[in-house]
Amino acid sequence: MTDELLVVRAQLGERAALAELVARWRVPVWTYVRRMLDAERADDVTQEVWLAVVRGLPRLRDPGAFAPWLFTIARRSVTERLRGEYARAWEEPATDEAVTEDAVEAMVDRAALVSLLSGLPAPEREILVLFYLEDLSVEECAHICRIPAGTVKSRLNRARRLLREHLEEKGYRP
């Protein structure tokens, strides 16, 4: 059954269709969020995403655009979480202990690829994750991020260049 049909059935109140959508998209959404945040925050944000999907699904006008709509919600949720954390960071005085904990957690918690991705600026990392890891088209990435397709292409190009530079710094030669 296609996502479009499942969306229509879920909009008509069929719980099994909603459950099937969640089952299909749970891992891709969590993976996207995890690549933007750490594991603990990813779990919380992913729950927020699915809550927003359940609330907003009846208002989705184009059931065929479910995937871009879903990732737009995920992106917005990640952005809101980061904004809130940045705002709190400015309000609270920074301590060396917090910096040390973050650095240790980052070293322990991330695999090599995630480490490389985390070294990229957020706009480039986001486009790279959506395009390569979530297999979305340039147009879908543009729609999700609310930027022109040309900007998506330039961010992809910059992200690839930065990744190549990071790999070369670590001694990897293609």
Side-chain angles (χ1 to χ4, degrees):
M1 190 173 316
T2 65
D3 287 343
E4 186 174 3
L5 183 56
L6 287 171
V7 168
V8 170
R9 291 173 70 178
Q11 287 175 327
L12 294 172
E14 189 176 316
R15 290 179 185 231
L18 179 60
E20 177 67 23
L21 279 172
V22 172
R24 281 187 189 181
W25 288 98
R26 181 183 55 82
V27 172
V29 168
W30 185 88
T31 303
Y32 166 74
V33 173
R34 172 61 179 96
R35 289 178 175 139
M36 301 302 293
L37 303 169
D38 61 52
E40 182 178 323
R41 293 185 297 170
D43 290 339
D44 292 342
V45 171
T46 301
Q47 287 180 359
E48 294 169 12
V49 168
W50 287 112
L51 187 60
V53 166
V54 169
R55 289 179 179 160
L57 195 60
R59 295 184 304 278
L60 178 61
R61 290 188 183 125
D62 181 7
F66 178 74
W69 177 76
L70 174 62
F71 280 101
T72 300
I73 291 171
R75 178 181 188 263
R76 190 176 309 124
S77 297
V78 167
T79 302
E80 288 173 6
R81 174 61 62 100
L82 290 174
R83 275 191 193 133
E85 290 173 2
Y86 292 148
R88 283 190 300 278
W90 280 104
E91 293 170 3
E92 300 171 1
T95 65
D96 290 338
E97 182 180 315
V99 173
T100 304
E101 286 179 18
D102 288 346
V104 170
E105 179 181 328
M107 288 187 325
V108 172
D109 194 10
R110 300 184 193 274
L113 177 61
V114 175
S115 176
L116 284 173
L117 288 175
S118 68
L120 296 175
E124 284 76 12
R125 179 177 59 219
E126 177 179 49
I127 293 299
L128 198 73
V129 167
L130 288 171
F131 185 78
Y132 285 111
L133 303 176
E134 300 302 332
D135 292 325
L136 296 174
S137 69
V138 168
E139 292 75 23
E140 290 171 324
C141 293
H143 177 76
I144 290 166
C145 296
R146 296 182 183 173
I147 58 175
T151 303
V152 170
K153 291 175 184 177
S154 66
R155 287 184 185 174
L156 277 172
N157 186 37
R158 182 165 187 258
R160 286 189 293 257
R161 183 178 46 77
L162 289 171
L163 274 177
R164 187 171 30 256
E165 290 171 5
H166 288 309
L167 286 170
E168 288 173 356
E169 286 172 10
K170 294 183 185 239
Y172 175 78
R173 304 279 181 224

